Amino acid sequence: MSGVTEHVDVSVPVRTAYDQWTQFEEFPHFMEGVEEVRQLSDTLTHWTVEIAGIKREFDAEITEQLPDERVAWRSTGGTKHAGVVTFHRLDEQTSRVSLQLEFDPQGVLEQAGDKLGVVDRRAKGDLQRFKQFIERRGQETGAWRGSVDRPQP
C-alpha cells in the first residue's frame, strides 16, 4: 500500500468546509479525473473516474462520519483504497482540511505514477481546487449533518 497526506487552509468556517465536503456529487467540480460521484445511500457512493486514460468505476463505503470533524471511507471492490479527511478550526473564518489516502497501485502504469509522485500532486491540486471552489462560493452547496459511527473491531 502507498499513502499520501496533504492539507490546505481555507478561508471559511469549519462547518462550511465540512458541509461542502459531504456533497460528494460536487466532487467533479474540483477533483481531477473524477467524472461522477453518485450518493447511493447515507454510507455508499458510486464513483466513475478516468486517470491516465483508464476509466474505472467502484463503490466506496463511508466508515465514519462526525460532523465538523471527519469523514472516512474505503473502497468495497476493485482498486483498494481508503482515506480520511479531517477538519480543524484555525479561527472563526479559517479551517484546515487534511487528507490522508492509502491505495494499492494496480499495474505498471499506476506503480510508475505512484513512484513519480503523481497521486501526491493530484491530491494537493484537488485540495487547492476545493479551496478555490468553497472560497469563491463563500457557502456550501448543501450539507449532510448525520453521523456514521466507526465500526467496532
Side-chain angles (χ1 to χ4, degrees), residues 106-147:
Q106 302 286 306
V108 175
L109 186 61
E110 288 183 16
Q111 291 173 4
D114 179 35
K115 298 268 189 272
L116 293 171
V118 171
V119 177
D120 296 65
R121 287 190 300 280
R122 180 164 285 180
K124 186 179 212 86
D126 287 348
L127 287 176
Q128 286 299 318
R129 285 184 293 278
F130 175 76
K131 173 184 174 68
Q132 293 167 356
F133 181 83
I134 192 62
E135 287 180 354
R136 194 174 304 133
R137 290 187 50 79
Q139 64 184 20
E140 61 277 9
T141 60
W144 189 74
R145 304 292 299 169
S147 294

Side-chain angles (χ1 to χ4, degrees), residues 41-75:
S41 72
D42 287 348
T43 59
L44 190 63
T45 55
H46 181 79
W47 294 64
T48 303
V49 300
E50 185 173 336
I51 300 170
I54 300 169
K55 192 171 193 168
R56 291 211 171 115
E57 292 192 40
F58 60 89
D59 291 335
E61 173 188 23
I62 298 166
T63 57
E64 183 181 15
Q65 191 163 339
L66 299 171
D68 301 333
E69 292 182 30
R70 65 191 292 121
V71 178
W73 69 92
R74 69 173 173 236
S75 60

Side-chain angles (χ1 to χ4, degrees), residues 18-31 34 36-39 41-47 62 65 71-73 85 141 144:
Y18 171 85
D19 285 352
Q20 183 59 57
W21 197 273
T22 67
Q23 301 305 290
F24 304 112
E25 293 180 352
E26 298 288 333
F27 281 10
H29 292 288
F30 55 85
M31 287 189 174
V34 176
E36 180 184 38
V37 180
R38 284 183 289 136
Q39 182 96 34
S41 72
D42 287 348
T43 59
L44 190 63
T45 55
H46 181 79
W47 294 64
I62 298 166
Q65 191 163 339
V71 178
W73 69 92
V85 62
T141 60
W144 189 74

